[in-house]
Amino acid sequence: MELKNYSLAANPSWLAQLLKWVNLRPEEGERTWMMFAFYTTVSVGLRWAEDSTVALFLDEYGAGPLPWMYIASAVMGMALVFVYSWLQKIFPLRWVVVAIAPCMVVPLMLLVLLRWGIHLSYFSVIVVFLLRLWVDSLYVVNDLNTSIVANQLFNIREIKRTYPLISSGLLVADVISGFSLPWLLEFAKLNRVIMIACGVIMIGSAILCYLSYQYRSSFPEAPQRLIPQEQASRHRRIQAPLKRYTLQLFAFVGLLQIIGLLVDFQYLQELKINLGDRELAGFLGIFGGIVGLCELGTQWFVSSRLIERFGVFFTAALLPVAVGFVVPGMIVVLYLLPGIQSLAFFWGLVGLKFFDELLRYTFVISSGPSLYQPIPERIRSRMQALSGGTAEAIATGTAGIIIVITLFVCGLFVPATMQKWVFICETMVVAVACLKVVWLLRSRYVDLLVLSADRGELSASNVGLRAFKQGVVKALEEKGNTADKHSCIELLAQIDPQGAADVLSPILFKLTPDLQRHSLEVMLGADANPNHVSEVKWLLERHPDNVNPEVFALALRYVWLADPNPNLSQLEEYLNQRHHSLTRATAAALLLRQGTPIQKVAATKTLSRMLTHKQERERVNGVKALREVVYLQALRIHIPNLLQDESLRVRCAVLEMIAATRMEEYYSSLLTALYYKSTRATAMRALIKMENEALDMLLQLATNAHKPEVLRMYAWRTIGQISTTEAVETLWLQLESSWGGTRYHILRSLLKIQKQSEITNLVDRFQHSRVESLIDQELRFLGEIYAAYIDLRPQLTLDNSQTNSRALIVADLLQRALAEMEWDIRERLLLLLKLLYSPDKMQAAAFNLRSESMVNLARGLEILEHTVNLPRKSLLLNLLDKRSHQEKLHDLLEAEFTEYQPLSASERLRKMLTLGTFLSDWCLACCFHFAQVNRIRLTINEILMALRHPTGFVREAAIAYLNVVSHRVLLELLPKLQKDSHPLVAAQIQELIKKSAIKINQ
């Protein structure tokens, strides 16, 4: 859902101030006001119709049949909700939400006309019952319709700010209808008032029609039954948690409805006892007006801020807490006071109804739509209809049954004076159950958000080992995708490397050659075990032509390494030229390890011939065999030539051999290989296998600023995959002293180690405070960036000369460089949070926050809000949201993370350059270009720092600056700068020397 209509964004300041008062953003204004107008208008009509039908009903029936009304209303409500859900399958959602209100109003008008036209007493009784029933159903459909439209128009973050204001339309309607109904009754009878109410509802429907047309892109164009099956299959993975969450939502909505109806029954019963028919309608109107004013103030100025501050679940729990415990306690206290016992229960129930409506139509109704946001958008409206509408209908019927049974039981066993307290106790019991459901919803909410983001991960710690091994055997034996089978073997090797052989060896004969090779490699990685020799030896007993040479060589190695007393003479036979080169190389390597001196000489000659052979395959297999040799002896002389071999496969094999045999004199070759894409993966694997022995040289490479960025990046990545305690300590030590790209690479490496080791609480236990201090450091620097955004923004002037045009271009480049640094800080903040919290949740949040879609961005922020528990959580959410630089700087100022005083461009630039180590290379270069075009004087230290910078384009920018600002100083430095290694700088220096020479000659 991408909304492009931001017509209120540029409105006058008074409107912006109004939006700020009600906690709205400019781009949300138009949608919110139109929704507010629609909901208010329809609610005014519904309130008039409700109060009129209530008066008619009580006049005709009294309060006794109310439970039967609740039961009938439940049946009617369920039927209408199912029809509403069914219509979404037949028609596009926009058509349904627009047409539903007029379609509901027409039968209401017909019922009133029938009551006017037919003057039969028994028929009038039936029509009054149907009128009251139909108005109740109208309320259910209207509330459901409004929340569904709001969920389509607003994302998960917007709806927390906007829906409290939208839902306040009901409160405004309470005020308008409440105070106008007594006046209206002076001029019209109840039947005529209902007809007027129907006309007002139609006006509200027209507003909704216009709104849905203006924002038609927010609604799906096709009915749900026409949505492709491929799109529906994306959500199959979340069906089970979605079902549980929906059932809990169903229970929550239902329990709230039961609480409301229990309170409503007791309230209306007391009103009927104490007031007459005409007085009752007037009292209902006045009471509704007073409650509406209180609700309105709460909804406009408190509700949205409280939801943003404490969350939807805190606000949703307020009603059951207040109505179930606080107010009943106050009634008990009032009842015990002497002198007011006769009125204590009446005013106590009025107070109970007051708090029920106040909290229900402010906090609960505002937080309700947010609870449906984790449900995937494709099925959200239908789920909302079935869960919300059906729950209210069933709860209404359940409440009616509860009241009927209670009245019957109380009539037999409970004294009349105590019957009222039975209903109070029932209300408290339902409130306790409601609180329990809120707690369960809270635990499911973020999990469903993460799953809806399609970003879950498999964790080895969550896999049942025995069941997993059985699954691997079954997967490998059955027909299926070979890539999936390789993944099963790899995962088995990660989860239980020592026990992998027990699973793989019995099924070796059933596997394809490729899977046999992979299985033997895994088995050898855990050392050869004599218990599995018989299964592996089966491969050697077959004719070599029937066995893959690679599999045969691995089996040969496994059998001879596992056998404590190997038959070396039989192994010597494999040196014969008739055998495959891989078999010969493996046999030679084993003989060099275990053979007699004569056998070692023969093996050395065999390998020498292979290493110098013309065929690539011979050389590759010979080098592979060297990895298993303990002492290379005479074979070392071939390594320099092999490192320069024309074959990439040979060079990669040599790199692996150097790491396997720990040949220190050739370690530099491993580091050099990181730079080239063709050998990088092999070099990384080799260095990772060396573990702690590779740490020092990798750290020297990673921290050398004069080495290429790509080389340093892969050095950090390699350290991150070593996964030893020493590697972790090294990364933590470097993290606090690093900045920018280096910190980013270190964080990625730490997360890699954490993921591999499955130590999810590593940071929580030992490094939590250090991570928080790093987050604070990032936030402080972010304040400097926003200050620079504001003070260094391009300044448009009347001068359209070339100089001014170039200055604007350079200023724009600097703004882009600042934007890139802001993005880098956002990424580092997310990585730091990923160290502290669940990787699955943080990955889902990061994925959504990187999206350009406002819906996905809001989903990511919502995941963070319910995952992060840092003191500066609200600040982080505001900074990660799409807001203006001024707003974000204001938030940082309020949190005292930075200080800001408007500075001139020259003063701000100098202040930025004092943070030189924190600036990216490109931003530093842009600062010098900005200083050049604006003739800003910089200090000698700042210029010298840039001239010594390891990045070429920074030195080039500093030289260009000197050429304009201080040409004399540059002429003195030119001889020293001629030997610059960067071609861009060298060419620049030569051009400047030529220009200087021409000027001197002239």
Side-chain angles (χ1 to χ4, degrees):
M1 178 184 69
E2 297 296 334
L3 298 171
K4 304 297 183 185
N5 196 339
Y6 297 153
S7 61
L8 291 179
N11 273 342
S13 58
W14 66 269
L15 184 54
Q17 190 64 35
L18 175 61
L19 293 175
K20 186 177 180 181
W21 283 344
V22 293
N23 199 28
L24 282 183
R25 296 183 183 176
E27 66 272 15
E28 302 162 355
E30 184 173 355
R31 288 171 284 160
T32 306
W33 294 125
M34 291 179 70
M35 278 291 293
F36 173 79
F38 145 69
Y39 194 45
T40 302
T41 307
V42 173
S43 297
V44 167
L46 282 176
R47 182 62 79 183
W48 282 346
E50 181 192 24
D51 289 345
S52 300
T53 54
V54 165
L56 287 172
F57 184 87
L58 291 176
D59 182 52
E60 196 74 43
Y61 294 98
L66 276 176
W68 300 107
M69 170 59 67
Y70 295 153
I71 296 171
S73 178
V75 176
M76 177 68 75
M78 286 180 61
L80 287 174
V81 166
F82 278 109
V83 170
Y84 188 90
S85 178
W86 173 74
L87 288 173
Q88 294 180 40
K89 293 183 177 181
I90 307 301
F91 303 103
L93 181 61
R94 189 169 71 88
W95 297 9
V96 176
V97 298
V98 170
I100 193 69
C103 291
M104 291 288 292
V105 165
V106 170
L108 185 64
M109 297 173 67
L110 290 175
L111 287 171
V112 176
L113 292 174
L114 284 173
R115 189 169 186 272
W116 260 341
I118 301 176
H119 301 286
L120 297 176
S121 58
Y122 68 89
F123 186 80
S124 177
V125 170
I126 296 172
V127 169
V128 168
F129 185 87
L130 292 176
L131 279 171
R132 180 76 186 93
L133 181 65
W134 197 254
V135 171
D136 278 352
S137 302
L138 260 174
Y139 260 108
V140 173
V141 173
N142 182 58
D143 290 342
L144 186 61
N145 205 43
T146 304
S147 60
I148 287 175
V149 173
N151 268 330
Q152 293 298 130
L153 290 174
F154 303 99
N155 63 47
I156 195 168
R157 299 293 293 178
E158 291 174 337
I159 206 164
K160 289 184 178 182
R161 292 185 294 270
T162 60
Y163 201 73
L165 184 60
I166 293 168
S167 60
S168 70
L170 183 62
L171 312 181
V172 174
D174 283 341
V175 176
I176 296 172
S177 62
F179 289 110
S180 63
L181 184 58
W183 172 82
L184 197 60
L185 288 171
E186 295 292 331
F187 302 96
K189 294 183 179 180
L190 291 176
N191 288 336
R192 195 180 301 275
V193 171
I194 296 172
M195 294 298 290
I196 295 171
C198 291
V200 174
I201 293 171
M202 296 296 286
I203 294 172
S205 301
I207 297 173
L208 178 60
C209 181
Y210 174 77
L211 172 65
S212 63
Y213 177 78
Q214 286 292 99
Y215 294 95
R216 53 190 178 277
S217 61
S218 301
F219 297 86
E221 296 180 359
Q224 286 187 4
R225 64 183 176 85
L226 300 182
I227 293 176
Q229 187 63 31
E230 297 80 23
Q231 187 178 354
S233 66
R234 293 176 59 245
H235 302 289
R236 288 173 185 167
R237 183 168 59 88
I238 66 171
Q239 281 182 350
L242 180 61
K243 184 178 180 181
R244 289 192 294 270
Y245 184 79
T246 307
L247 289 174
Q248 289 164 0
L249 268 180
F250 185 95
F252 173 67
V253 174
L255 289 170
L256 283 179
Q257 182 73 357
I258 291 174
I259 291 173
L261 291 173
L262 286 173
V263 172
D264 188 61
F265 174 76
Q266 298 169 77
Y267 168 70
L268 290 177
Q269 195 174 42
E270 287 296 314
L271 290 185
K272 180 61 178 175
I273 294 171
N274 292 276
L275 300 174
D277 297 335
R278 198 169 183 85
E279 291 175 334
L280 193 146
F283 180 86
L284 288 175
I286 297 297
F287 179 79
I290 294 171
V291 174
L293 285 174
C294 297
E295 291 171 342
L296 200 57
T298 304
Q299 194 75 323
W300 281 4
F301 305 110
V302 178
S303 188
S304 64
R305 290 176 171 85
L306 196 69
I307 291 173
E308 279 196 310
R309 179 67 180 85
F310 295 102
V312 293
F313 297 101
F314 174 85
T315 54
L318 289 176
L319 187 144
V321 169
V323 176
F325 303 100
V326 178
V327 180
M330 294 172 61
I331 295 175
V332 172
V333 172
L334 288 173
Y335 195 79
L336 295 176
L337 293 176
I340 60 170
Q341 291 180 349
S342 58
L343 296 175
F345 214 88
F346 172 77
W347 289 111
L349 282 175
V350 171
L352 191 65
K353 180 66 175 177
F354 174 84
F355 282 103
D356 178 72
E357 291 219 0
L358 176 66
L359 297 173
R360 184 180 299 274
Y361 295 110
T362 54
F363 300 128
V364 173
I365 200 172
S366 298
S367 58
S370 300
L371 298 176
Y372 290 93
Q373 283 285 339
I375 299 174
E377 186 177 357
R378 189 192 67 83
I379 57 175
R380 184 188 302 147
S381 60
R382 189 160 179 264
M383 284 288 185
Q384 195 167 353
L386 292 174
S387 175
T390 309
E392 288 190 359
I394 292 176
T396 302
T398 304
I401 294 171
I402 290 172
I403 294 171
V404 169
I405 294 174
T406 304
L407 289 173
F408 176 75
V409 173
C410 288
L412 295 177
F413 305 106
V414 181
T417 56
M418 297 299 296
Q419 290 181 7
K420 298 176 180 180
W421 294 106
V422 174
F423 284 104
I424 293 292
C425 292
E426 287 179 345
T427 306
M428 295 177 67
V429 171
V430 178
V432 171
C434 190
L435 286 174
K436 175 65 175 177
V437 172
V438 170
W439 178 261
L440 294 174
L441 277 173
R442 184 178 180 276
S443 64
R444 299 280 183 190
Y445 181 78
V446 181
D447 293 338
L448 192 59
L449 272 177
V450 172
L451 288 172
S452 299
D454 293 326
R455 280 297 179 275
E457 286 188 346
L458 177 64
S459 173
S461 62
N462 296 327
V463 177
L465 194 56
R466 184 177 179 182
F468 176 70
K469 288 181 177 180
Q470 293 173 351
V472 168
V473 173
K474 185 178 180 181
L476 293 176
E477 289 180 343
E478 293 180 352
K479 293 182 179 180
N481 192 324
T482 304
D484 293 340
K485 294 183 177 182
H486 279 292
S487 298
C488 286
I489 296 173
E490 191 64 37
L491 190 56
L492 176 63
Q494 292 176 10
I495 294 173
D496 187 20
Q498 299 301 321
D502 298 331
V503 177
L504 298 173
S505 59
I507 60 173
L508 276 174
F509 70 97
K510 298 181 181 180
L511 303 179
T512 62
D514 203 28
L515 293 172
Q516 286 175 341
R517 175 195 59 75
H518 195 174
S519 299
L520 287 169
E521 287 176 348
V522 169
M523 292 168 65
L524 280 166
D527 294 331
N529 190 333
N531 296 330
H532 305 303
V533 167
S534 58
E535 290 96 341
V536 179
K537 206 168 186 178
W538 174 84
L539 295 168
L540 299 179
E541 293 170 351
R542 303 178 68 197
H543 194 278
D545 294 340
N546 296 330
V547 182
N548 181 281
E550 206 167 353
V551 173
F552 191 89
L554 288 168
L556 184 68
R557 181 165 165 247
Y558 192 94
V559 169
W560 256 262
L561 289 177
D563 193 346
N565 299 305
N567 185 353
L568 296 177
S569 59
Q570 184 181 355
L571 189 62
E572 195 173 1
E573 294 176 4
Y574 287 112
L575 296 179
N576 194 294
Q577 197 68 25
R578 70 175 182 274
H579 289 286
H580 192 275
S581 60
L582 199 54
T583 304
R584 283 185 277 118
T586 303
L590 290 170
L591 286 171
L592 283 175
R593 177 193 290 262
Q594 300 172 316
T596 65
I598 296 175
Q599 289 173 332
K600 288 181 179 180
V601 170
T604 301
K605 289 180 179 179
T606 300
L607 288 173
S608 294
R609 286 195 298 269
M610 294 181 69
L611 295 174
T612 56
H613 204 280
K614 292 182 179 180
Q615 291 186 5
E616 179 196 53
R617 187 180 68 176
E618 293 278 335
R619 298 197 303 278
V620 170
N621 291 336
V623 174
K624 284 183 178 180
L626 292 182
R627 288 181 291 184
E628 313 304 326
V629 176
V630 179
Y631 302 105
L632 291 180
Q633 300 166 349
L635 297 173
R636 286 177 178 270
I637 61 174
H638 300 292
I639 294 175
N641 292 330
L642 291 169
L643 283 170
Q644 302 297 324
D645 196 281
E646 61 182 11
S647 168
L648 175 62
R649 293 180 61 201
V650 172
R651 296 198 302 274
C652 289
V654 174
L655 294 173
E656 292 179 347
M657 181 270 296
I658 290 170
T661 56
R662 301 296 194 270
M663 299 178 67
E664 295 183 13
E665 63 269 32
Y666 294 106
Y667 282 173
S668 58
S669 300
L670 289 173
L671 298 178
T672 304
L674 285 175
Y675 187 76
Y676 301 101
K677 187 176 181 180
S678 57
T679 56
R680 184 178 298 141
T682 303
M684 288 180 70
R685 286 196 302 270
L687 288 163
I688 291 165
K689 288 179 181 178
M690 293 173 63
E691 294 189 332
N692 292 337
E693 192 171 343
L695 271 181
D696 287 340
M697 57 182 177
L698 283 169
L699 186 59
Q700 290 178 11
L701 175 62
T703 55
N704 189 342
H706 293 276
K707 294 293 183 180
E709 174 69 18
V710 66
L711 196 58
R712 290 184 281 130
M713 176 184 70
Y714 282 105
W716 288 119
R717 288 191 183 182
T718 307
I719 294 174
Q721 295 181 56
I722 291 178
S723 304
T724 63
T725 304
E726 291 79 3
V728 175
E729 291 176 353
T730 299
L731 290 171
W732 275 108
L733 288 172
Q734 293 296 319
L735 182 63
E736 292 178 314
S737 60
S738 64
W739 187 254
T742 301
R743 177 174 288 184
Y744 176 82
H745 300 319
I746 296 173
L747 285 170
R748 292 290 298 269
S749 301
L750 279 170
L751 289 167
K752 188 75 174 178
I753 290 177
Q754 181 172 298
K755 181 180 176 182
Q756 289 173 346
S757 61
E758 294 292 343
I759 307 175
T760 54
N761 292 324
L762 178 69
V763 177
D764 290 331
R765 294 176 183 171
F766 306 114
Q767 310 292 354
H768 198 287
S769 61
R770 295 170 72 177
V771 174
E772 284 196 52
S773 65
L774 292 172
I775 291 174
D776 292 347
Q777 186 186 47
E778 298 280 359
L779 294 179
R780 282 192 290 271
F781 183 59
L782 202 53
E784 298 293 339
I785 291 177
Y786 293 138
Y789 263 130
I790 296 169
D791 291 342
L792 298 177
R793 74 184 88 186
Q795 300 294 326
L796 297 175
T797 65
L798 296 175
D799 181 13
N800 292 320
S801 66
Q802 185 177 0
T803 303
N804 185 55
S805 175
R806 184 165 181 266
L808 289 175
I809 293 172
V810 171
D812 183 61
L813 285 175
L814 180 55
Q815 292 281 306
R816 293 184 187 180
L818 292 169
E820 289 175 4
M821 281 203 300
E822 180 193 8
W823 180 261
D824 291 342
I825 291 175
R826 286 164 55 95
E827 290 295 305
R828 292 198 295 273
L829 286 171
L830 291 172
L831 291 177
L832 286 166
L833 292 173
K834 201 171 183 179
L835 281 172
L836 298 177
Y837 302 103
S838 165
D840 292 351
K841 293 177 182 178
M842 293 309 305
Q843 181 176 343
F847 171 77
N848 283 279
L849 288 171
R850 294 187 188 107
S851 173
E852 291 297 321
S853 166
M854 293 299 294
V855 175
N856 291 341
L857 174 66
R859 186 181 295 273
L861 291 171
E862 189 71 6
I863 293 172
L864 285 183
E865 181 177 352
H866 289 84
T867 304
V868 176
N869 56 10
L870 296 174
R872 71 272 304 158
K873 178 176 73 174
S874 298
L875 176 62
L876 279 170
L877 294 177
N878 289 337
L879 295 177
L880 292 172
D881 202 353
K882 283 191 177 179
R883 304 173 71 197
S884 68
H885 302 139
Q886 289 87 347
E887 288 178 301
K888 293 181 179 181
L889 180 59
H890 175 72
D891 292 335
L892 287 166
L893 287 170
E894 282 193 341
E896 299 182 352
F897 272 96
T898 189
E899 296 178 358
Y900 175 70
Q901 291 292 335
L903 300 176
S904 64
S906 58
E907 290 174 320
R908 178 59 63 186
L909 188 71
R910 293 191 193 100
K911 187 173 181 181
M912 284 291 290
L913 289 175
T914 60
L915 305 169
T917 55
F918 294 95
L919 301 178
S920 67
D921 295 349
W922 176 239
C923 184
L924 186 59
C926 288
C927 285
F928 273 89
H929 287 301
F930 187 88
Q932 174 193 346
V933 297
N934 291 282
R935 301 300 180 100
I936 298 173
R937 287 285 179 181
L938 302 178
T939 65
I940 298 296
N941 289 334
E942 291 165 350
I943 297 170
L944 290 176
M945 177 192 70
L947 290 174
R948 294 169 185 156
H949 201 277
T951 304
F953 57 76
V954 176
R955 300 196 298 274
E956 182 268 339
I959 293 169
Y961 169 79
L962 277 177
N963 186 43
V964 172
V965 178
S966 185
H967 188 69
R968 182 183 58 80
V969 175
L970 178 63
L971 291 177
E972 296 176 3
L973 293 174
L974 281 179
K976 299 177 182 179
L977 299 173
Q978 286 187 76
K979 298 180 181 179
D980 196 289
S981 59
H982 198 283
L984 173 67
V985 181
Q988 182 190 29
I989 295 298
Q990 292 301 321
E991 184 179 353
L992 290 172
I993 290 174
K994 289 180 182 177
K995 288 182 179 179
S996 312
I998 292 172
K999 287 182 179 180
I1000 292 171
N1001 293 332
Q1002 290 176 349

